[in-house]
Amino acid sequence: MNTDKIITLASFVLYLIFMVGVGMHFMGKNRTTTEYFLGGRKLGSWVTSMSAQASDMSGWLLMGLPGAAYLSGISASWIAIGLAVGTYLNWLLVAKPLRQYTKVADDSITLPQFFKNRFEDESGMLSVISAVFILVFFLFYTASGFVSCAKLFTSVFGIPYLVSLLIGGVVVISYTFAGGFFAVSWTDFFQGMLMFFCVIAVPTIAISSMGGPADFFAQVEAFNPDFLDMFVDGATHTPYTALGIVSLLAWGLGYFGQPHILVRFMGIESPGAIKKSRRIATVWVLISLTAAVMIGVSGRLFLGDGLLDITGNQETIYINMVSRIFPVFIGGIFLSAILAAIMSTADSQLLVTASAITEDFYHNKIRPNASAQELMWVSRICVMAVAVVAILIATDQNSTVLGLVEYAWAGFGSAFGPLVLCSLLWRRTNKQGAYAGILVGGVVDLVWAQLSGGIFDLYEIVPGFVCGLLAIIVVSLLTPAPSKSITDRFDTYRTCEK
């Protein structure tokens, strides 16, 4: 390994030591699963907003989206627009109600547990089914983070792909295993700040080096006019169909069902702090997504077509630009932003999956009388086990970050999104409707994703979400109304929510 790579590696190591140190700092502060999985509901506005958005974006922000823009131009922004709108609506419609209702519903600390308590499901099967969906979809989502990490280490240091997977896995497992929700949230806060700075700086410097905005856009126009057309794919020169645009915008629907984002709303210290958090999160998302698209567009001119030779190689555009622009140590800090993006999502997903297995399956069905200490250790073992399986999925070197995220995102949006909204906003929603919504939404999404051609090219989250929502409404209206105790608790929550 040459001197430049050693210097870059040193900056990586310092960053990773800091992340693990945060985890160790919080290790002794978790005495119960409520503290381990939800931080005792003590997060402030800045930590809540930044950790929610950092855990949301993952390696997709610095790899998947710039890679799509590198291929197709600003038409990749359709996804960004959908995500920006979805982020705002999620904070507006879900954040405060979910924080209030989970507290009223027997202090629920996981999303499946909230569904169980919200509908007084004594069998506990509603939370078990929810936990199964979380396990399945988060395995793929977490795998996308490890794929990002492997591509990063392989591109920068030439480390073999499988070895890179293990490095990333060990670091994420270490601080998630040790520190739980507090460690995850605080590391995500620092990582969100780093991501924000880096995603803005790289395209700004690249565009400046090409003569500034006016000259840059003139060069893009000369290179490929379709790169600046929102309605044409710059790679194929094919106009987008209405079906294609709807599919890209529909990414925004996914927010209502993402457990690793929703848990941040549940953990905020005060419902009154949510308005401030919403403003911070919205500004962060708008600027970050715009900058990520510009990384891809500017990178196509800055680096040329050299990343088109291997499928998925375009997702290393940020890595290649950083290596070209910055001195090695500074470049290492900027490359650490990818680690930040990867780890801020993977840690959250591991923690939510572990909480679902521990609380909604083990504690719910196997050991109802388990002690707090036993549950803590089961939780930590689950973090390790889920990470191992996700790493095995990520061993497929042909996987793309965007492809894995796309699959998991749609699954959660379809299975949980309609039920989260109906649970919080519609008093008449009942247990039968809840079962129908999760099963119909999740199954339609899974089946649709396996089909192709014609209408089946529509992103599966659209039919999954719509069918799940219709199932909740129709089944709830065709079956007995919720009991008085359920509606009374709903009325109590609505009073608190106001």
Side-chain angles (χ1 to χ4, degrees):
M1 187 178 292
N2 61 36
T3 304
D4 286 353
K5 289 183 178 180
I6 293 174
I7 295 173
T8 303
L9 181 61
S11 62
F12 271 52
V13 170
L14 289 174
Y15 175 78
L16 295 175
I17 290 173
F18 175 69
M19 292 296 103
V20 174
V22 172
M24 295 301 144
H25 171 73
F26 286 109
M27 186 170 186
K29 300 182 184 298
N30 297 304
R31 294 174 295 277
T32 66
T33 51
T34 300
E35 292 176 328
Y36 189 70
F37 291 134
L38 210 58
R41 300 183 191 266
K42 296 177 182 177
L43 293 186
S45 294
W46 274 93
V47 176
T48 300
S49 58
M50 295 303 296
S51 65
Q53 299 320 130
S55 65
D56 163 18
M57 288 302 168
S58 73
W60 182 87
L61 179 69
L62 294 174
M63 298 186 76
L65 183 55
Y70 176 87
L71 289 176
S72 302
I74 66 168
S75 60
S77 298
W78 286 114
I79 297 178
I81 293 170
L83 291 175
V85 173
T87 296
Y88 180 77
L89 291 178
N90 202 29
W91 278 96
L92 183 67
L93 299 177
V94 174
K96 188 175 180 181
L98 186 64
R99 168 62 173 80
Q100 297 289 61
Y101 210 164
T102 53
K103 188 69 176 176
V104 170
D106 300 329
D107 199 19
S108 304
I109 64 173
T110 70
L111 191 62
Q113 191 178 80
F114 167 64
F115 292 151
K116 174 183 177 242
N117 295 340
R118 161 70 170 86
F119 299 106
E120 297 182 357
D121 180 29
E122 296 181 2
S123 71
M125 286 307 298
L126 186 60
S127 63
V128 171
I129 293 171
S130 301
V132 170
F133 274 108
I134 285 176
L135 176 60
V136 171
F137 289 125
F138 264 154
L139 284 175
F140 288 95
Y141 210 150
T142 307
S144 75
F146 292 136
V147 169
S148 299
C149 193
K151 287 185 176 182
L152 172 63
F153 281 103
T154 299
S155 297
V156 177
F157 303 113
I159 298 174
Y161 184 87
L162 295 180
V163 176
S164 300
L165 274 180
L166 294 177
I167 294 173
V170 167
V171 172
V172 174
I173 291 170
S174 297
Y175 70 81
T176 306
F177 177 93
F181 188 78
F182 265 132
V184 165
S185 296
W186 274 99
T187 53
D188 287 359
F189 169 76
F190 294 120
Q191 290 170 159
M193 297 294 287
L194 177 62
M195 290 160 60
F196 184 74
F197 173 75
C198 292
V199 79
I200 293 172
V202 169
T204 300
I205 294 172
I207 291 171
S208 297
S209 72
M210 289 183 273
D215 287 347
F216 164 70
F217 284 110
Q219 292 175 52
V220 176
E221 180 75 22
F223 162 71
N224 182 351
D226 290 339
F227 247 55
L228 299 178
D229 192 335
M230 283 288 293
F231 294 93
V232 178
D233 186 328
T236 63
H237 308 287
T238 304
Y240 277 102
T241 63
L243 194 69
I245 292 175
V246 169
S247 291
L248 295 174
L249 290 174
W251 279 70
L253 287 175
Y255 276 103
F256 303 121
Q258 304 300 318
H260 59 301
I261 299 173
L262 299 176
V263 73
R264 296 306 198 283
F265 302 157
M266 297 161 61
I268 196 167
E269 183 175 23
S270 166
I274 288 175
K275 185 175 182 180
K276 179 180 177 181
S277 294
R278 181 174 70 240
R279 291 171 176 170
I280 297 169
T282 302
V283 171
W284 190 97
V285 164
L286 286 172
I287 295 176
S288 297
L289 290 175
T290 301
V293 171
M294 293 312 299
I295 287 174
V297 177
S298 62
R300 188 61 178 271
L301 270 70
F302 193 76
L303 298 177
D305 297 338
L307 302 181
L308 298 176
D309 54 339
I310 302 175
T311 300
N313 199 37
Q314 70 276 0
E315 292 186 339
T316 64
I317 176 64
Y318 174 86
I319 298 171
N320 282 276
M321 290 182 72
V322 167
S323 300
R324 181 78 66 84
I325 293 172
F326 298 103
V328 286
F329 186 77
I330 301 299
I333 295 174
F334 273 76
L335 291 175
S336 294
I338 299 180
L339 281 179
I342 296 165
M343 295 192 298
S344 62
T345 301
D347 56 16
S348 301
Q349 292 161 349
L350 286 176
L351 196 63
V352 170
T353 308
S355 70
I357 297 172
T358 303
E359 289 293 331
D360 304 307
F361 183 71
Y362 184 82
H363 195 196
N364 181 16
K365 287 295 183 182
I366 299 177
R367 291 273 292 171
N369 298 318
S371 66
Q373 184 177 15
E374 179 182 343
L375 292 175
M376 282 291 298
W377 280 106
V378 170
S379 302
R380 289 183 164 125
I381 291 171
C382 286
V383 166
M384 296 183 66
V386 172
V388 169
V389 178
I391 289 172
L392 291 175
I393 294 173
T395 55
D396 179 5
Q397 298 188 38
N398 294 320
S399 298
T400 64
V401 177
L402 189 60
L404 289 169
V405 171
E406 181 180 38
Y407 182 76
W409 187 267
F412 281 126
S414 300
F416 295 149
L419 184 54
V420 168
L421 291 174
C422 289
S423 296
L424 299 174
L425 304 176
W426 190 33
R427 190 172 184 264
R428 182 63 174 77
T429 310
N430 65 12
K431 179 173 66 177
Q432 292 84 353
Y435 274 103
I438 290 178
L439 292 172
V440 171
V443 170
V444 168
D445 176 89
L446 288 171
V447 172
W448 196 279
Q450 309 310 312
L451 306 173
S452 62
I455 187 65
F456 296 114
D457 287 336
L458 180 66
Y459 187 21
E460 59 265 25
I461 195 173
V462 178
F465 189 96
V466 171
C467 289
L469 183 61
L470 289 175
I472 294 171
I473 295 171
V474 171
V475 172
S476 291
L477 292 176
L478 292 178
T479 51
S483 66
K484 186 176 184 302
S485 60
I486 291 177
T487 55
D488 284 349
R489 182 146 55 178
F490 183 91
D491 294 337
T492 299
Y493 132 74
R494 291 295 288 178
T495 301
C496 293
E497 202 269 325
K498 293 177 182 178

